[in-house]
Amino acid sequence: MNTKHRLVLGIETSCDETGVALYGDNGLIAETLHSQIDIHSEYGGVVPELASRDHVRKLIPLIKRCFSKVSVNAEDLSGVAYTAGPGLIGALFAGVSVARSLAYGWGIPSVGVHHMEGHLLAPMLEEKPPSFPFVALLVSGGHTQLIRVGSIGDYELLGESLDDAAGEAFDKTAKLLNLGYPGGPALAACAKSGNSKRFTFPRPMTNRPGLDFSFSGLKTFALTTSQQHTLDKQTRADISRAFEEAVADTLAIKCKRALQKTGLSTLVVAGGVSANKHLRATLDTMTKGMNACVFYPRHKFCTDNGAMIAYAGYQRLKAGEHDKLIIQARPRWSLSELKQTVMQ
Ligand code: KG4
Ligand code: ZN
């Protein structure tokens, strides 16, 4: 990688958002995002084939738009980073093939980024980034994990969901309450007018030791509660509120345990569910109470985006990593398989 001037193009296509960004020695200089919400909403969830086709349609125009925002062209780039997994295989391949072809054509290195590492490092894009080591809570549509992060690539899994991810539980509960897609933000909006005293949901797996989670029971609890009542507007709001509070409390209890267990006092929260205001308020109170601090990405970088991939790729390319000639996308990929790297 050119050591005088570094600028990396980042590409994210693992699910239902096409994200592109430019991150370099001067930080994040441009980003563009296209959300596929309109395409999938009529089906109530992501349709993988439609997602892949839309990435193919939107990716090149988005890259051009990102370049034109800051008058950058291919000669200014020193590398291309893309999400190599985990995610939907067709969607991943749309990004992998464009990223690898561009890098090959431009004669610059490329690097495949782990999607969850992208999320985990997203708070590094903020003005006041966290310092290593820290405990990370990753809460997305596909993952709920607590990780001890020593440095980039030094990831120790402390606990994870044994069934549904937190975001998945939000999506499924929103669906059964007929709140629309994507479920997380819809349920959070509905919960605002809910009465928190009407229903009490369990805080799963908090009365036994350990840092694993289980969220599928909460969705079932929401289903049985909804079947026992007339599902009018207020009942929907009350169930949403009780569900949201149960998820936030459960996550906060486990985060506190993880901080105590590791002896660390910095918590980083990332992934789509970290956009949830009630969760943030609960974690703010919890960390304050134990003299710890908590970091989040800005709202638009909680969900999938190109900036987090450009950042992670920039760091890995800077550390000398790059792809071999083989082209690979990995629908399943554990964070613990990643190489440790030194942040410079
Ligand atoms: O990180 P992300 O964009 O994609 C994955 O990597 O999965 O996360 C998407 C998830 C979805 O389940 C979505 O419903 C949830 O994040 N989400 C939220 C909120 N915004 C997005 N969940 C709760 N409250 C929100 N405000
Ligand atoms: Zn994601």
Side-chain angles (χ1 to χ4, degrees), residues 116-180:
M116 297 313 290
E117 177 173 73
H119 276 304
L120 195 155
L121 297 176
M124 296 293 183
L125 291 161
E126 299 309 307
E127 214 171 293
K128 281 193 190 145
S131 327
F132 299 111
F134 53 75
V135 169
L137 170 69
L138 298 182
V139 268
S140 71
H143 294 79
T144 300
Q145 296 183 321
L146 273 166
I147 295 163
R148 187 196 183 280
V149 180
S151 61
I152 294 181
D154 175 10
Y155 306 132
E156 182 195 345
L157 184 66
L158 302 171
E160 64 183 333
S161 180
L162 305 178
D163 41 53
D164 291 354
E168 189 180 358
F170 263 97
D171 293 338
K172 288 177 175 170
T173 304
K175 198 168 186 177
L176 68 91
L177 294 175
N178 279 322
L179 298 176

Side-chain angles (χ1 to χ4, degrees), residues 17 115 119 140-142 167-168 170-171 183-185 188 271-273 275-276 302-304:
E17 249 114 25
H115 181 75
H119 276 304
S140 71
E168 189 180 358
F170 263 97
D171 293 338
V273 183
N276 186 277
C302 290
T303 44
D304 295 347

Side-chain angles (χ1 to χ4, degrees), residues 304-328:
D304 295 347
N305 64 84
M308 65 186 195
I309 303 303
Y311 177 83
Y314 170 88
Q315 294 297 345
R316 289 206 167 264
L317 286 161
K318 199 171 169 184
E321 283 181 44
H322 58 82
D323 289 329
K324 301 198 178 75
L325 269 177
I326 182 175
I327 294 186
Q328 212 182 11

